Amino acid sequence: MRRNLARLNTGNVVPLLGLGTYSSSYDHETTQKAIHMALKMGYRHYDTAKIYGTEPALGKALTEAISDGVVERKNIFVTSKLWSSDHDDPVSALNQSLKNLGMEYVDLYLVHWPVRFKSWAEYPVPNEEDFEEMDMESTWAGMEKCLELGLCKAIGVSNFSTRKLQHLMNFASVCPAVNQVEMHPMWRQNKLRKFCSEHKIHVSAYMPLGGPGNFWGSTSIIKDPIIQSIAQKHRATPAQVALRWGMQKGVSVIVKSFNDGRMRENIGALDLKLDDYDMISIEKLAERKILRGDHLINKTTSPYRTIEQLWDYEI
């Protein structure tokens, strides 16, 4: 099992397979049932955020499992995120998340996006008037205070490009432990991963399968002939191949499905081992040269239309 863990620059370890808890339905009962099912399957890494609305359901399910002796808190890795309307006070924001979760600490607290919204903008898709000038130095000082107070075991960022990470590190006293970004075999984040490796920043991947089933996602990864051929060779599924590719790159992958069958399929990737030829074959996949992020907004009418504000989109 040790090979399915990655060590952070804090000395702590993170399981390479995580379960994302975002759900558009905000159905707490469904989320709780999925977490209980995931725990029984062996999932030990859970990803949430204030904006997902799933912190209470995740916390309740984990608290029940700990109380029932299913798992110990020390063996669970919980990530939550600072929403863009809370940059003025990360400590208060994290305390609220901990209250939602019913926990004394989270294992990882991330800055969700490198943008700042006005305090009322507590919704995923902002309006132009919701934006405020970003002061990352002040935000990061608040994140470091969260760490100092023991409210979290590690701090990091999400959706940060190489350029934004470099800017952060110009003034940070504590180097981010993690950068969570979209990554999969057709968007491999080579430049970003190289930078993170050089600075001992762990990369965590959301949408590691390209988001099939979402209106913004694609099935091109799991339908790719190379991926399917490798899957057939190992008597695995295309999804397992794509997930294992990320893990063998040293990246933790965050899957999002509350479907029993898909959850079992995804965790099965932990038992797969791709050989060098498999990894080289996947490297030859054509990379998509599209801007990931158009699923968030209509760029023609949104302040995100100059998308480099958010992300430098490095392939």
Side-chain angles (χ1 to χ4, degrees), residues 17-19 33-34 36-43 209 235-237 239-241 243 247 255-272:
L17 182 70
L19 182 69
K33 287 181 179 178
H36 282 296
M37 188 163 53
L39 285 164
K40 291 178 182 177
M41 293 180 190
Y43 285 87
L209 301 176
R235 296 184 179 180
T237 68
Q240 289 171 341
V241 170
L243 294 174
M247 288 187 272
V255 294
K256 192 194 75 65
S257 178
F258 290 170
N259 175 275
D260 177 278
R262 285 195 290 273
M263 289 168 67
R264 293 183 188 280
E265 176 186 359
N266 291 337
I267 201 168
L270 296 175
D271 299 321
L272 180 62

Side-chain angles (χ1 to χ4, degrees), residues 163-226:
R163 187 184 308 170
K164 287 179 171 59
L165 281 173
Q166 185 62 72
H167 171 66
L168 169 60
M169 294 175 69
N170 287 338
F171 52 76
S173 297
V174 177
C175 178
V178 172
N179 185 19
Q180 187 183 108
V181 297
E182 181 182 348
M183 178 186 151
H184 46 68
M186 289 188 177
W187 199 33
R188 299 193 286 273
Q189 298 280 16
N190 290 334
K191 179 180 177 182
L192 181 64
R193 284 192 293 112
K194 182 176 184 293
F195 179 90
C196 288
S197 177
E198 290 170 350
H199 292 86
K200 301 187 187 314
I201 301 171
H202 174 74
V203 175
S204 186
Y206 64 81
M207 287 180 66
L209 301 176
N214 296 319
F215 72 88
W216 63 79
S218 169
T219 59
S220 59
I221 295 171
I222 58 177
K223 289 186 176 180
D224 185 89
I226 292 176

